[in-house]
Amino acid sequence: MMRPGRGSTRAQLLPDDDSGRAAAVEALRAGGLVAMPTDTVYGVGVALSAHDGLMRLFAAKDRPLDRAIVLLVADLEQAASVGVLSPAARVLAERFWPGGLTLVLEQAPGAVLPTVLTAGAETIGIRLPDHDSPRALARQLGPLPVTSANLSGHPDARDAARVLTQLGGRIDLVLDGGPARGGIPSTVVDCSGELPRVLRSGAIPSTELAAALSRAGLAHSISE
């Protein structure tokens, strides 16, 4: 297998089916970089356990090291293994996951997360996507660092062909699941402090977030 980010070969293109996902898991376990469809755009990820994998992911995208990477998870239990699910975070996760909501959480006690993943912060961004492909990979490998499958500053890739155009010589494998839905990026809510607050508006309206928290009797700083 090539060393990702060195541009020595073109990425393998496989269908996003059971066979393709099995090959993707094998590539990720070997330390490779794999692109996949998600519920927004195509993403590219690496196994959290891969030696120097995150550094290769940053290098492949020409991504600045001060930009943290979100973990995609298979389920709520996996999210709780890396982040502290406060009462507010749990309410929001149970209401809006899987879907376009990223929760910023305190790192869970005992979670060993590389500094480069979080850009040195004591928090971690986590999302349960509304797409089978990244969930299936995370189910096999654990929480998966995934970022958009494009060169930093370039347009998002909404299909496998555009992933290959931008990253084909820098990554190992692309799962082709057809055109991604695109649309609005996830809403980002910081649940690491005393009161949940919206860091980025997106797919989930703030009014719906506020209503869910208010119904649960939880204080928040989100406008209804």
Side-chain angles (χ1 to χ4, degrees):
M1 177 175 292
M2 64 171 274
R3 295 285 287 178
R6 303 256 175 116
S8 57
T9 62
R10 189 164 176 82
Q12 184 180 16
L13 180 66
L14 294 175
D16 181 32
D17 56 15
D18 289 345
S19 177
R21 291 175 188 178
V25 168
E26 182 179 350
L28 288 162
R29 282 182 173 150
L33 304 181
V34 171
M36 73 216 73
T38 77
D39 48 348
T40 53
V41 297
Y42 272 68
V44 59
V46 66
L48 194 55
S49 60
H51 178 65
D52 290 336
L54 284 166
M55 293 303 295
R56 295 200 303 276
L57 181 57
F58 276 92
K61 282 179 52 75
D62 295 334
R63 182 182 176 93
L65 291 175
D66 61 354
R67 295 181 61 190
I69 291 179
V70 168
L71 292 175
L72 298 188
V73 296
D75 50 41
L76 197 59
E77 181 180 359
Q78 215 172 66
S81 72
V82 287
V84 176
L85 286 170
S86 65
R90 189 170 290 276
V91 164
L92 294 177
E94 290 176 350
R95 170 64 180 83
F96 297 107
W97 277 357
L101 175 67
T102 298
L103 295 176
V104 177
L105 309 175
E106 290 183 22
Q107 294 182 34
V112 181
L113 300 178
T115 301
V116 68
L117 175 70
T118 64
E122 296 182 359
T123 56
I124 181 65
I126 302 174
R127 189 164 83 86
L128 177 60
D130 189 16
H131 195 290
D132 288 341
S133 188
R135 293 203 307 264
L137 299 182
R139 196 170 294 115
Q140 293 292 317
L141 295 156
L144 199 64
V146 175
T147 180
S148 57
N150 60 322
L151 293 170
S152 289
H154 289 237
D156 290 331
R158 295 193 178 184
D159 57 44
R162 295 179 196 182
V163 175
L164 289 171
T165 296
Q166 295 195 49
L167 299 178
R170 298 178 174 219
I171 64 177
D172 293 279
L173 190 151
V174 180
L175 290 177
D176 185 357
R181 300 175 209 166
I184 304 172
S186 66
T187 299
V188 180
V189 179
D190 185 352
C191 290
S192 65
E194 185 176 347
L195 295 176
R197 60 193 180 96
V198 174
L199 300 182
R200 182 182 75 189
S201 297
I204 309 299
S206 294
T207 52
E208 293 187 20
L209 299 169
L213 293 169
S214 294
R215 282 195 301 270
L218 297 172
H220 58 86
S221 58
I222 304 172
S223 298
E224 296 193 45

